[in-house]
Amino acid sequence: MDVNLGGGVFKQRIARPGQGKSKGFRTIILLREGHMAFFVYGFAKSERDNIHKDEEEQFKKMAKHVLWLPEDQLEILIANGQIEEVESNDEKVSK
């Protein structure tokens, strides 16, 4: 991860094909290491410079709640279409 914003919130730079990371995309990921990760926001660096401080605080509040949901609650959210589970390398990853 590129930047640890604290509270389980990370900002990750993603390269734009042919232009590198500096002109690419930024994503906000909620991460509980070794357990789960949630992709919650993304933007093109060309469209906006960064997230605002109040947005960062909201992501931290979200992380406190989402990262500690029990498995049965996550399964309900997935079944209701409120979050989508993504499989990668034969492992399930939620976003």
Side-chain angles (χ1 to χ4, degrees):
M1 295 290 153
D2 286 330
V3 179
N4 182 346
L5 300 175
V9 180
F10 293 82
K11 182 168 58 172
Q12 177 70 47
R13 298 184 310 168
I14 299 174
R16 186 182 300 241
Q19 296 184 14
K21 285 186 179 181
S22 65
K23 296 184 191 263
F25 302 96
R26 304 296 182 264
T27 61
I28 302 297
I29 299 167
L30 309 181
L31 178 66
R32 183 170 155 200
E33 291 204 42
H35 187 67
M36 65 181 69
F38 293 85
F39 167 82
V40 294
Y41 185 65
F43 59 96
K45 183 70 171 155
S46 62
E47 293 179 14
R48 107 179 258 191
D49 189 44
N50 206 346
I51 60 172
H52 300 283
K53 194 68 176 163
D54 62 328
E55 292 172 308
E56 181 180 326
E57 293 306 315
Q58 290 300 316
F59 289 130
K60 288 178 182 179
K61 287 179 183 178
M62 183 188 304
K64 281 183 185 177
H65 176 72
V66 172
L67 293 177
W68 298 100
L69 286 173
E71 194 68 34
D72 61 331
Q73 281 289 70
L74 289 172
E75 302 227 358
I76 290 169
L77 293 172
I78 292 167
N80 290 338
Q82 293 173 294
I83 62 175
E84 184 178 338
E85 188 169 35
V86 178
E87 291 189 38
S88 175
N89 297 329
D90 297 326
E91 294 181 32
K92 291 182 179 180
V93 180
S94 295
K95 67 173 187 175

